[in-house]
Amino acid sequence: MQKMINGRPYTETEDGPRFKPCAPNGVLARLGDKWTILVLSHLAIAPGYRLRFSELKHGIEGITQRMLTLTVRNLERDGLLLRHYYPEVPPRVEYELTEMGASMLPALEGFTSWIRDNWPRIEQCRRNYDAEQ
Amino acid sequence: MQKMINGRPYTETEDGPRFKPCAPNGVLARLGDKWTILVLSHLAIAPGYRLRFSELKHGIEGITQRMLTLTVRNLERDGLLLRHYYPEVPPRVEYELTEMGASMLPALEGFTSWIRDNWPRIEQCRRNYDAEQ
DNA sequence: CTGTATCCTCCAGGATACTG
DNA sequence: CAGTATCCTGGAGGATACAG
């Protein structure tokens, strides 16, 4: 069995433990990018976990067509949402959270509550730190 | 009370809910950067939650002096770790997780277990998607 | 040993125009 | 409507040299 620390796999080396960068870093980096969480959040509260491209674009302030396209493509590639294309005129495209996609945000719940609890303190620490420089 | 969906604050607008980008995005972006989680992980398993600069640098493969310095500075600024400077020759600096810092990784546990459970499926989805292009 | 200071490269992400 | 195609800019992050 793979050795684990705080849910992170690692291997022992003569220089100590070496954490594997693969899964957690990659997923967190994706979630931490500028638009992914916003797209997931909007779909998570939509009826049927479904929204049209234009609804997403309209609902997310500041996102460009290009970035929305890239963001949903990545999520589709990861199997977190499905793309439904209706070849009408004008065309209609709906994005739908998969079961896996829908389960992701709730899995973050423990962490988001940690953030909620600690955010004021973090901000205070930043102010203190900046004031000393 | 602030309205919440999946732990994320938002406000209603005439275009639907508008999520606040503040806390979750910022913290996740920080965690998702290239080195932060590795630094936290190493400190989390160190005796006394403490390591010297050189121990961190040696323990994290590929990190440069510059990036390690920047990473620990950011964590110190957020109050997640403390910097202990010993003005000897040669100088010695130890970084120590604060209580808040130590509580962060365990708070991620629910999510890391989600990743563990779903990672194989995500990788499979990526292969399928790429094969179709 | 623990940092700065510089310089450089690459790419995420924005602006804009065009298309089926 | 839902995308591509281009071009552009800022900043993350690496390489290297130097300093206290």
Side-chain angles (χ1 to χ4, degrees):
Chain A
M1 178 52 183
Q2 178 65 270
K3 289 191 185 179
M4 291 283 184
I5 293 176
N6 285 120
R8 291 177 48 62
Y10 71 100
T11 52
E12 281 293 347
T13 74
E14 50 189 22
D15 290 334
R18 193 126 286 168
F19 291 96
K20 311 215 180 217
C22 65
N25 273 20
V27 177
L28 284 173
R30 172 63 44 84
L31 281 182
D33 76 8
K34 199 164 179 183
W35 303 111
T36 296
I37 287 232
L38 290 172
V39 169
L40 291 177
S41 297
H42 278 269
L43 285 171
I45 62 172
Y49 293 151
R50 250 175 196 258
L51 286 174
R52 300 186 54 159
F53 184 88
S54 54
E55 292 173 319
L56 279 170
K57 176 156 168 37
H58 205 216
I60 301 176
E61 195 172 9
I63 197 169
T64 60
Q65 256 175 13
R66 180 182 129 83
M67 288 317 295
L68 179 53
T69 301
L70 290 176
T71 303
V72 290
R73 284 285 181 284
N74 280 327
L75 290 171
E76 186 195 3
R77 177 168 181 266
D78 287 353
L80 298 173
L81 55 77
L82 288 170
R83 180 175 184 273
H84 301 282
Y85 176 72
Y86 301 93
E88 311 161 357
V89 270
R92 177 165 54 101
V93 177
E94 291 180 0
Y95 292 95
E96 178 193 12
L97 277 187
T98 61
E99 192 185 346
M100 180 163 67
S103 70
M104 191 171 191
L105 286 184
L108 263 177
E109 171 55 26
F111 188 57
T112 52
S113 75
W114 184 93
I115 296 176
R116 226 180 3 261
D117 295 341
N118 290 275
W119 187 246
R121 179 126 70 113
I122 291 178
E123 285 189 305
Q124 184 60 51
C125 287
R126 288 182 181 178
R127 279 191 296 273
N128 294 344
Y129 184 91
D130 292 343
E132 289 168 8
Q133 306 312 311
Chain B
M1 178 51 185
Q2 178 66 270
K3 291 190 185 180
M4 292 282 185
I5 293 175
N6 284 120
R8 293 179 46 66
Y10 71 100
T11 52
E12 282 294 346
T13 75
E14 50 189 22
D15 289 333
R18 194 123 290 167
F19 290 95
K20 311 215 181 217
C22 65
N25 272 18
V27 178
L28 284 173
R30 173 61 45 84
L31 280 183
D33 76 8
K34 200 163 176 183
W35 303 110
T36 296
I37 287 234
L38 290 173
V39 169
L40 290 177
S41 297
H42 277 270
L43 285 171
I45 61 170
Y49 292 151
R50 250 175 197 257
L51 287 174
R52 300 185 54 157
F53 184 87
S54 54
E55 292 173 320
L56 279 171
K57 176 156 170 32
H58 204 217
I60 301 175
E61 195 171 7
I63 196 170
T64 60
Q65 257 175 14
R66 180 182 129 84
M67 289 316 296
L68 179 52
T69 301
L70 290 176
T71 304
V72 291
R73 284 286 179 283
N74 280 328
L75 291 172
E76 185 195 3
R77 177 169 180 265
D78 288 353
L80 298 174
L81 55 77
L82 289 170
R83 181 175 184 274
H84 301 283
Y85 176 73
Y86 301 93
E88 311 162 355
V89 270
R92 177 165 54 101
V93 177
E94 290 181 1
Y95 292 95
E96 178 193 14
L97 277 187
T98 60
E99 193 183 347
M100 181 163 65
S103 71
M104 191 171 192
L105 287 184
L108 263 177
E109 172 54 25
F111 188 56
T112 52
S113 76
W114 184 93
I115 296 176
R116 230 185 353 265
D117 295 342
N118 291 276
W119 187 246
R121 179 126 70 115
I122 290 178
E123 285 189 306
Q124 184 60 50
C125 289
R126 289 182 181 177
R127 279 191 295 272
N128 294 346
Y129 184 91
D130 293 343
E132 288 167 10
Q133 306 312 312

